[in-house]
Amino acid sequence: VGSGDSDESLFELKVNVKSDRGVWVKNSLMSAEWGGKFTVVGTIDAPRAVGEANLIQGKLSFKDREFTMQSGKVTFDNPSQINPRFSVLSFTDLNKTKINLSANGRLSEWKLDLTSNPT
């Protein structure tokens, strides 16, 4: 919401959110339910989050395969940019082989590891 001729927003956000579950993220990468505690700051036009979210349940898509998410954590630690720290563990089964996918780092720079059993 703008204030007419000015670039300044009418509203400065500081919304405290605590949810044990029910925060859904659905996009081309994942469909997952999260819970956590964070504060939404900034403006309506440029909201930012500070806080932490933990995975409740979800599915992750990678290389045309669906992985079941086992655990996940996202930490929003910088209100001036959206570049959270995250870690996710997930798995899928392919021809009696369990494939584990681990991803962690920051949104801007992250690492992916794939392992399997049997190798």
Side-chain angles (χ1 to χ4, degrees):
V1 177
S3 60
D5 296 333
S6 174
D7 288 337
E8 209 172 300
S9 179
L10 284 176
F11 298 102
E12 180 95 11
L13 299 174
K14 187 171 182 185
V15 180
N16 294 314
V17 178
K18 181 180 180 190
S19 176
D20 293 333
R21 60 182 323 116
V23 178
W24 281 91
V25 175
K26 294 182 180 185
N27 55 36
S28 62
L29 180 64
M30 77 174 74
S31 176
E33 181 183 13
W34 299 81
K37 184 177 178 181
F38 51 94
T39 301
V40 178
V41 297
T43 65
I44 291 174
D45 294 329
R48 300 286 188 260
V50 178
E52 187 173 282
N54 295 294
L55 178 73
I56 305 300
Q57 63 176 330
K59 301 287 183 184
L60 178 72
S61 296
F62 179 73
K63 297 284 187 180
D64 298 325
R65 304 256 344 120
E66 187 174 88
F67 287 75
T68 300
M69 297 172 76
Q70 294 173 284
S71 65
K73 182 176 180 177
V74 180
T75 303
F76 296 90
D77 56 359
N78 186 344
S80 64
Q81 61 178 326
I82 301 174
N83 192 24
R85 222 175 354 172
F86 71 93
S87 63
V88 174
L89 297 174
S90 59
F91 72 92
T92 193
D93 289 307
L94 178 63
N95 301 325
K96 298 182 182 180
T97 299
K98 184 176 181 180
I99 300 170
N100 297 298
L101 182 149
S102 170
N104 61 64
R106 290 205 174 265
L107 196 57
S108 63
E109 186 178 341
W110 50 276
K111 179 181 175 185
L112 178 78
D113 289 316
L114 289 168
T115 59
S116 65
N117 187 9
T119 55

